[in-house]
Amino acid sequence: HHIACDGWSKGLLIDELCTAYDAITAGVEPTLPELAIEYADFAVWQRRWLSGDELDRLSAYWRERLAGHAPALEIRTDHPRPRTSSFQGAVQWIAVPGSLARGAITIGRQQGATPFMTLMAAFKALLHALSGQEDLLVGSPAAMRNRPELERVIGFFANTLVYRTDLSGQPSFRDLVGRVRDTALGVYAHQELPFEKIVEAVRPPRDPGRNPLVQVNVRVEGREPELKLRGIRATPIVIDPGIARFDLAIELGVTDDGFAGYLEYDSALFDSCTAAAFARGFSSVLGAVVQWPDQPLATLEPIREIAARRTHLGG
């Protein structure tokens, strides 16, 4: 649970569990490395560090970056938005085959962008088609383990960062990847400010039925940590917890053949058939932008079809 740990911590826990199990089954005492600090030490340090000039510097960046912040993302929903969020949700599974993943990674590399930046750009192209909005705010978690002494500590260090992208001017996918890359580099240089402090600095209009600043989240992970226990074959079971922290969230991880993951959606807003259409739309958009990375996004057939349905429905 995020009250105690984050995704990085899961890998640490599995690694230490495997080390301890293998030692015990071999009849020896488990030995784990001593920690340089504990989470409480980090919490005290962070509170002291995020004050005075440093707090002012980071807050000023986010106020400027999100000045006149984009309006809330408006995607046509199947049901009226509740006054307060229920956080009820479900998932639609997504698989990106290896050939398509490699094509996307190659385009990103040519633009000096990581796979995360490239997949973020593809998802923003989909959101642009679904909403018709050109100024998009999307959230994404950052591990925040940027100091060696934090690498082995189990705790909640992750922070939600806000990526603002301008899609005006009929950009191509290659253009959009460059815009996302430039945004990301600025965000990384100012990532230490906790999300709640970003909200305090920007002061967006508050709505109990929406997350502040971002209603959509993107997460791209490496390979899942493996549970390797002596004499035991362990297979992960992927479950749908039935919750949604955002209106929409996409999570993709590296597999032996591309990327795989899911689209999480708020089931109070969207029916399963609509969420399935969103998931198919992402795959179609990704395939089109990889095949024609230099054409204006608006001219690509999947984006035109999604935008046409939105216009026809009056969204």
Side-chain angles (χ1 to χ4, degrees):
H1 194 287
H2 276 175
I3 200 171
C5 64
D6 52 21
W8 183 297
S9 299
K10 180 174 67 173
L12 297 176
L13 182 62
I14 289 176
D15 180 54
E16 294 186 0
L17 174 62
C18 293
T19 298
Y21 184 89
D22 288 349
I24 290 171
T25 55
V28 298
E29 187 73 17
T31 58
L32 297 172
E34 291 291 330
L35 295 177
I37 65 170
E38 296 185 3
Y39 186 80
D41 301 318
F42 165 77
V44 171
W45 170 84
Q46 184 188 51
R47 182 181 293 272
R48 291 174 178 169
W49 183 73
L50 281 177
S51 61
D53 293 344
E54 189 60 23
L55 178 61
D56 292 343
R57 182 184 71 85
L58 293 172
S59 297
Y61 168 82
W62 286 106
R63 275 195 298 270
E64 180 180 355
R65 180 64 192 151
L66 302 179
H69 51 81
L73 183 67
E74 294 291 353
I75 297 175
R76 183 178 181 273
T77 62
D78 297 306
H79 309 285
R81 182 178 296 274
R83 289 189 175 182
T84 58
S85 177
S86 67
F87 299 103
Q88 295 178 351
V91 299
Q92 287 287 336
W93 305 105
I94 296 175
V96 178
S99 58
L100 185 53
R102 288 188 293 273
I105 290 171
T106 297
I107 293 170
R109 188 178 296 121
Q110 292 168 349
Q111 299 302 110
T114 64
F116 162 74
M117 298 172 189
T118 307
L119 292 170
M120 167 80 83
F123 195 56
K124 285 204 170 186
L126 172 65
L127 295 176
H128 173 55
L130 288 170
S131 66
Q133 295 170 234
E134 294 181 335
D135 190 359
L136 296 177
L137 302 183
V138 171
S140 185
M144 301 299 293
R145 306 282 184 136
N146 48 9
R147 291 172 176 79
E149 60 269 27
L150 302 181
E151 292 181 358
R152 300 295 305 178
V153 180
I154 290 177
F156 186 76
F157 295 88
N159 188 25
T160 297
L161 302 176
V162 183
Y163 296 76
R164 184 179 192 176
T165 307
D166 177 10
L167 282 87
S168 64
Q170 296 291 317
S172 67
F173 182 62
R174 202 181 297 276
D175 295 331
L176 180 55
V177 171
R179 295 181 187 185
V180 171
R181 176 205 61 216
D182 292 345
T183 294
L185 293 177
V187 166
Y188 296 159
H190 301 84
Q191 63 181 305
E192 293 89 353
L193 192 66
F195 179 73
E196 62 269 22
K197 294 292 186 181
I198 296 176
V199 174
E200 287 180 13
V202 178
R203 297 186 179 277
R206 302 303 292 269
D207 179 347
R210 299 178 191 266
N211 280 290
L213 291 177
V214 293
Q215 291 81 53
V216 177
N217 195 64
V218 175
R219 181 177 177 182
V220 179
E221 295 291 324
R223 292 183 180 274
E224 280 287 301
E226 293 184 61
L227 187 63
K228 295 181 179 180
L229 303 175
R230 188 191 305 273
I232 293 178
R233 178 182 297 171
T235 303
I237 299 174
V238 182
I239 63 170
D240 174 3
I243 61 174
R245 303 167 186 85
F246 300 88
D247 291 3
L248 294 172
I250 189 169
E251 179 165 336
L252 295 172
V254 176
T255 68
D256 291 335
D257 184 29
F259 295 100
Y262 56 84
L263 178 76
E264 180 183 281
Y265 64 95
D266 187 332
S267 54
L269 300 176
F270 304 107
D271 292 334
S272 59
C273 57
T274 300
F278 291 162
R280 290 193 302 272
F282 174 73
S283 297
S284 297
V285 168
L286 185 60
V289 297
V290 167
Q291 188 171 0
W292 297 288
D294 296 306
Q295 288 188 210
L297 292 171
T299 67
L300 299 179
E301 190 61 28
I303 292 179
R304 290 175 58 190
E305 290 179 357
I306 294 169
R309 287 198 296 271
R310 181 196 78 236
T311 303
H312 176 71
L313 293 169

